[in-house]
Amino acid sequence: MLNPTQFVCFMLAFLFVFDCYTTLVQAESTPILLTTADPRVQVFRNGQWAYICGNGWNSKDAKVICRMMGYWQGTGTARIITLSGSEKFWLDDVDCIGNETDISECSFQGWGIPSCPAGGVAGVNCEVSALPNVRLTNGFGPWEGRVEIYENDMWQPVCTTGWDDEDAQVICRELGVRSSGGFAHTDGKYGRSTNPPIITSSKCVGSERDISLCPAKLTTPSQTSCVQAGVECYNCGYQYSGEAGILQSDNYPQPYPRNVHCLYIIRPTNTGQLYKLEFSDFKTESCCDIVHVATLNSSSSIPVGGSTYSGSGKPPILLGKAFAVSFDTDGSNNMAGFQAKWSPALVQDVVNMSCDAGTFNIQIDLTFLKRLYPASSERTIALADSSCTGIVSNDILIINTNADSCGTIVKTEADRHVYTNFLVDRIFATESNDIVRGQRWKIPLTCSVPRSESFSIHYQPYPDVGLRRASDVEVLKRNVKATSIEDVINISCNSGSFNIQINRQVLKQLHPASSEKTIGLSDPFCTGTILNDNIVITSKANTCGTMVKTEPGEHVYTNFLVDRIFAKESNNIVRGERWKVPIRCTVPRSESVSISYQTDRKRSKLAVEAVDRLRRVVEGHIRVQQDFPVTIYVYEDQAMTIRQYTSPQKRLGDDLYFRVQMDPADSDLKLVVGSCYALPTADETVGTKYFLTKGGCAVDSGTHILRTTNHHTDFQMKVFKFSGNYNTVYITCDVRVCPNTDTSTACKQTCPSRRKRSSERNTGTIRVRFGPVTVEDLPVN
């Protein structure tokens, strides 16, 4: 008579045409192997199969073997098989009581014996004498299925309320099927029974001998249906709960066990984190050994999707909050199995990048990305140049760009071109898509190609080589040794002027698209001319954005030289930068920059003179002059007690505190701040004004008016940046200085819902500016 395991095996052999010669059942620690035609018992230990010597072998020993095979209440007939002469043995003189659950619990001489000269090989025939009142149905094999209990002359299902792995463990132990562990299914995986359920809630500890010993709530006659519980018993595997780790099939990297059902559960304790599961090695028999990989809900045992794999093709990276990996093997194997690792998922896990001759290609899996960052979309993700976004195809965001555009930096190394950029998910202001409030995430991008394969479409190293004499070419080759942009720039300065020369021929080999039209100082209008194959830029020391700092004994000029990437539509739009280098030059203090600054004493004198002019009263009316001194100061705290004297550097989303102040204050006058706006550069012709306040009212959601007095107004602003390749913000305010006695609408620091246009005299406005505020590209939490 065939036992249930043998019956399933023969059915699979008939349907799928595979060898059903052996059957293996894995107990808690000892794999047992019986041949179908010749029921000799084999034991697996230390990576090797060997037999049991028949000395003293009896029905009690055979009963233990049958119990290990799932015949919990069955009997076993002991047999002695004649030796063939080639057998190897693990056990001898086995002496069981009969109630053991594993052969290793019985008495024996020890593991490993040299021979069994007279005992023969121990064998077993198992028969069923009585079956337990619990069964698993509708599964792939006897180790899994819907749980049913025999009661009221029928097999009745169990409801999933309170059903967990402890209950499953008890079921597997009661059946004697692969009793290393039990995995509870609460998703109705094994279908429904038409019979009414018997248990609506079970609360096993996990150590009970059978399900009848567990506290349970029986169903009422009115309850006729529910989600029905299932169980998956396994005889190898493990359950993991760490934040990161390595999963390996049993015996890895040695051959994995035969005829087993292994189950590996990864359920990290941090249920709010998304994790990735990545296989680093995968080698299984392609015929009949199957690995099933699925994600789980973090708080339950419900698989989400999943796929099966076999052979040597590794499963792809899987993202989820928990994972289940099951492994079913047949009776033949010499493969190593698999190894995988899990860890918290990062944005880099969903981004694929490639590059070839002059192009960048980026692909982002939006389905997985949205599980990490639900607000991310194709409208918010771009390269360094925020206008370089992509298109969506089959839930994949694709960004293609030329290697010398979108802010990509190209560096030439010994035998390769290296492209670098970054991919960023920007948080735009609700008021304007030109204002960036912060970043959800930002990752660097690097890709390289052999130098021989890249940039052939951009330049020829020596375009007029046919016209040159050989000696000229050799001289040129000897001179071309530059490996960075700094190598081709010469800087000099003298009394009040800057002089920069760039070797154009060598520059072209580093950056083919660079030209005199794209290279300039911090002021993009300060470009150069061509002289003897050099780009020459000459500027006065107090123009073109040059900063002058007076140090002991010398003046220091600082600026930067930048190669801008202009939009094809307009030369007023900068899409990015090919390169940018700082420049610095010093001259003795006695020779330079007398025209570029004024001392504090002179400034104070001018301020006093301006006040005097302002206070000339004609018939009770004060006419405000345009040059009345008003200043913007930056502070480090909201109370405006700690003054900041250096140019502020802030992260996106940081608070910036600034005060618009009448300097010096005058008790007869008051300051009225009208509108304040921001620009990306000091040049008001570049970019569109973004208003922070209008008519004394805050219109930017991140800007607040903290307090107002007659002589100053305090502001708090959430730092943002302009989309595009800008990392600076300049703030300008239009103010009026009025006499205290002036009650006209234009001289009231209020924020009315509707302000009437003043019919009184125009008191004039003063425009005051400060900057730059340097915005660092760091993501906000």
Side-chain angles (χ1 to χ4, degrees):
M1 180 176 179
L2 294 177
N3 64 47
T5 305
Q6 293 169 328
F7 174 78
V8 172
C9 187
F10 278 112
M11 289 298 296
L12 292 175
F14 176 78
L15 294 175
F16 299 106
V17 193
F18 73 90
D19 182 16
C20 190
Y21 180 70
T22 60
T23 302
L24 171 72
V25 177
Q26 167 82 54
E28 290 189 0
S29 60
T30 310
I32 298 297
L33 179 65
L34 296 179
T35 63
T36 303
D38 186 6
R40 294 174 296 176
V41 180
Q42 294 188 59
V43 178
F44 187 79
R45 183 174 174 83
N46 294 338
Q48 184 177 2
W49 290 99
Y51 294 96
I52 299 176
C53 184
N55 290 326
W57 189 253
N58 58 37
S59 60
K60 294 180 180 180
D61 308 319
K63 187 175 182 179
V64 174
I65 294 296
C66 292
R67 180 177 292 113
M68 292 175 67
M69 292 185 62
Y71 295 92
W72 188 255
Q73 299 186 31
T75 61
T77 300
R79 297 182 58 184
I80 304 297
I81 313 300
T82 304
L83 293 170
S84 65
S86 60
E87 295 90 350
K88 296 180 179 180
F89 295 91
W90 271 124
L91 299 174
D92 190 13
D93 291 331
V94 176
D95 185 13
C96 300
I97 298 175
N99 60 0
E100 295 87 349
T101 59
D102 189 274
I103 193 68
S104 64
E105 298 173 6
C106 300
S107 172
F108 53 89
Q109 286 189 2
W111 291 100
I113 61 174
S115 64
C116 181
V121 180
V124 170
N125 286 121
C126 298
E127 299 92 18
V128 176
S129 60
L131 293 173
N133 68 337
V134 175
R135 72 177 184 181
L136 300 177
T137 65
N138 211 29
F140 179 75
W143 59 83
E144 64 174 335
R146 182 177 63 249
V147 179
E148 293 183 350
I149 298 176
Y150 192 78
E151 191 73 27
N152 303 319
D153 295 326
M154 71 177 82
W155 288 100
Q156 296 179 258
V158 175
C159 296
T160 58
T161 303
W163 192 254
D164 56 24
D165 290 346
E166 283 72 23
D167 301 297
Q169 175 68 66
V170 174
I171 293 294
C172 294
R173 180 181 296 111
E174 183 174 358
L175 291 173
V177 179
R178 298 180 172 178
S179 54
S180 280
F183 181 60
H185 283 275
T186 59
D187 57 340
K189 174 182 178 180
Y190 301 109
R192 298 180 56 81
S193 170
T194 58
N195 293 336
I198 184 173
I199 295 177
T200 186
S201 177
S202 176
K203 296 181 179 179
C204 294
V205 176
S207 59
E208 295 87 350
R209 187 176 66 253
D210 60 65
I211 193 71
S212 64
L213 300 177
C214 299
K217 181 180 180 182
L218 298 179
T219 58
T220 61
S222 60
Q223 185 172 1
T224 58
S225 66
C226 63
V227 179
Q228 297 175 5
V231 163
E232 187 175 351
C233 301
Y234 54 91
N235 45 14
C236 55
Y238 197 77
Q239 296 204 26
Y240 303 90
S241 60
E243 291 292 289
I246 296 178
L247 179 155
Q248 295 177 338
S249 57
D250 278 37
N251 297 336
Y252 180 89
Q254 301 299 320
Y256 49 79
R258 305 177 187 178
N259 286 323
V260 295
H261 176 69
C262 301
L263 187 62
Y264 307 92
I265 304 297
I266 302 170
R267 189 179 284 123
T269 54
N270 185 357
T271 58
Q273 172 69 48
L274 193 66
Y275 296 86
K276 69 170 180 176
L277 178 66
E278 182 177 7
F279 285 80
S280 57
D281 190 19
F282 192 89
K283 297 181 179 68
T284 65
E285 295 282 353
S286 59
C287 167
C288 309
D289 296 343
I290 298 173
V291 177
H292 184 83
V293 185
T295 60
L296 298 175
N297 288 334
S298 58
S299 57
S300 70
S301 299
I302 301 178
V304 181
S307 300
T308 57
Y309 305 91
S310 61
S312 58
K314 289 192 301 185
I317 293 176
L318 198 65
L319 296 182
K321 294 186 176 181
F323 308 95
V325 179
S326 63
F327 189 22
D328 292 282
T329 71
D330 68 357
S332 61
N333 162 56
N334 60 0
M335 308 295 283
F338 55 80
Q339 178 176 267
K341 62 180 179 180
W342 77 93
S343 60
L346 305 173
V347 174
Q348 290 88 328
D349 298 323
V350 299
V351 177
N352 291 316
M353 181 180 62
S354 62
C355 56
D356 53 23
T359 63
F360 236 131
N361 180 275
I362 301 163
Q363 295 188 3
I364 306 167
D365 191 318
L366 287 179
T367 302
F368 283 148
L369 178 64
K370 284 184 177 293
R371 297 182 66 183
L372 287 171
Y373 295 92
S376 294
S377 75
E378 68 276 10
R379 294 185 297 273
T380 62
I381 300 171
L383 294 175
D385 182 344
S386 60
S387 65
C388 291
T389 55
I391 59 174
V392 177
S393 176
N394 297 324
D395 285 331
I396 301 295
L397 175 60
I398 302 172
I399 302 176
N400 287 317
T401 176
N402 290 333
D404 59 348
S405 61
C406 295
T408 301
I409 298 174
V410 183
K411 183 178 180 181
T412 303
E413 296 184 350
D415 60 345
R416 308 186 69 79
H417 290 296
V418 181
Y419 310 161
T420 58
N421 204 314
F422 61 81
L423 193 65
V424 60
D425 186 7
R426 294 172 171 87
I427 302 172
F428 292 97
T430 55
E431 303 89 345
S432 171
N433 286 337
D434 292 328
I435 300 301
V436 179
R437 292 291 189 197
Q439 299 170 359
R440 293 182 187 88
W441 50 264
K442 177 180 178 181
I443 59 174
L445 302 176
T446 302
C447 196
S448 65
V449 294
R451 192 168 181 178
S452 59
E453 299 178 11
S454 178
F455 288 123
S456 59
I457 61 172
H458 296 301
Y459 76 103
Q460 294 293 335
Y462 310 110
D464 55 346
V465 68
L467 302 179
R468 294 176 180 266
R469 295 194 306 272
S471 60
D472 293 335
V473 175
E474 291 301 319
V475 170
L476 181 61
K477 287 183 178 179
R478 286 196 300 270
N479 291 335
V480 178
K481 297 179 181 179
T483 59
S484 66
I485 191 64
E486 289 85 354
D487 296 334
V488 300
I489 299 174
N490 291 314
I491 304 172
S492 62
C493 55
N494 54 30
S495 180
S497 67
F498 237 127
N499 183 274
I500 303 168
Q501 292 190 9
I502 306 169
N503 188 316
R504 188 171 64 152
Q505 188 63 48
V506 180
L507 174 67
K508 285 284 186 180
Q509 296 184 43
L510 293 174
H511 298 279
S514 295
S515 74
E516 70 279 4
K517 297 178 182 178
T518 63
I519 300 172
L521 295 173
S522 58
D523 183 342
F525 294 99
C526 292
T527 55
T529 59
I530 302 297
L531 180 63
N532 295 330
D533 217 14
N534 288 324
I535 301 176
V536 179
I537 302 176
T538 301
S539 166
K540 291 184 178 181
N542 61 342
T543 61
C544 295
T546 300
M547 304 290 292
V548 182
K549 184 178 180 181
T550 302
E551 296 183 353
E554 62 183 11
H555 291 293
V556 181
Y557 306 164
T558 57
N559 204 318
F560 61 82
L561 195 64
V562 60
D563 186 7
R564 296 173 172 86
I565 302 171
F566 292 97
K568 296 178 181 178
E569 302 86 354
S570 171
N571 288 336
N572 292 325
I573 301 298
V574 179
R575 296 293 190 193
E577 297 175 354
R578 293 183 188 87
W579 50 264
K580 179 179 179 181
V581 296
I583 55 177
R584 185 177 187 273
C585 196
T586 62
V587 294
R589 189 169 181 178
S590 59
E591 300 178 9
S592 175
V593 297
S594 58
I595 59 172
S596 61
Y597 72 100
Q598 292 172 330
T599 64
D600 291 340
R601 181 176 297 178
K602 291 182 178 179
R603 181 180 180 279
S604 300
K605 181 180 180 181
L606 291 175
V608 173
E609 291 174 354
V611 174
D612 290 340
R613 291 197 304 271
L614 182 65
R615 299 186 59 171
R616 295 173 185 169
V617 180
V618 180
E619 296 180 355
H621 296 284
I622 299 177
R623 190 170 302 277
V624 179
Q625 305 299 317
Q626 296 290 334
D627 56 353
F628 192 90
V630 177
T631 308
I632 297 180
Y633 295 113
V634 178
Y635 290 82
E636 297 182 7
D637 60 325
Q638 190 180 58
M640 307 291 183
T641 58
I642 305 174
R643 173 92 172 272
Q644 186 171 343
Y645 291 91
T646 59
S647 183
Q649 293 185 344
K650 296 286 185 178
R651 292 175 54 177
L652 282 172
D654 281 350
D655 287 314
L656 178 71
Y657 304 102
F658 65 93
R659 169 177 289 178
V660 183
Q661 178 173 313
M662 184 167 26
D663 187 16
D666 190 296
S667 59
D668 295 328
L669 303 174
K670 61 183 177 181
L671 178 70
V672 179
V673 181
S675 298
C676 295
Y677 57 87
L679 284 169
T681 71
D683 186 353
E684 295 217 359
T685 64
V686 177
T688 302
K689 294 178 180 178
Y690 179 70
F691 279 91
L692 308 176
T693 66
K694 283 187 176 181
C697 304
V699 294
D700 169 51
S701 61
T703 300
H704 304 282
I705 300 174
L706 298 177
R707 62 191 68 86
T708 299
T709 70
N710 276 355
H711 301 124
H712 67 258
T713 298
D714 295 341
F715 295 87
Q716 177 181 353
M717 184 192 83
K718 290 290 184 183
V719 173
F720 57 84
K721 64 181 292 186
F722 286 86
S723 60
N725 201 27
Y726 298 109
N727 65 343
T728 56
V729 174
Y730 291 78
I731 295 177
T732 301
C733 292
D734 291 328
V735 303
R736 286 185 173 86
V737 178
C738 303
N740 278 333
T741 55
D742 194 331
T743 59
S744 64
T745 302
C747 287
K748 290 182 179 180
Q749 184 68 58
T750 58
C751 178
S753 58
R754 194 173 186 180
R755 173 175 285 183
K756 295 182 180 179
R757 184 178 296 274
S758 175
S759 58
E760 303 178 29
R761 65 191 181 281
N762 180 9
T763 58
T765 60
I766 301 171
R767 179 159 293 177
V768 58
R769 173 183 301 161
F770 85 95
V773 178
T774 302
V775 184
E776 298 179 4
D777 281 331
L778 292 175
V780 295
N781 292 327

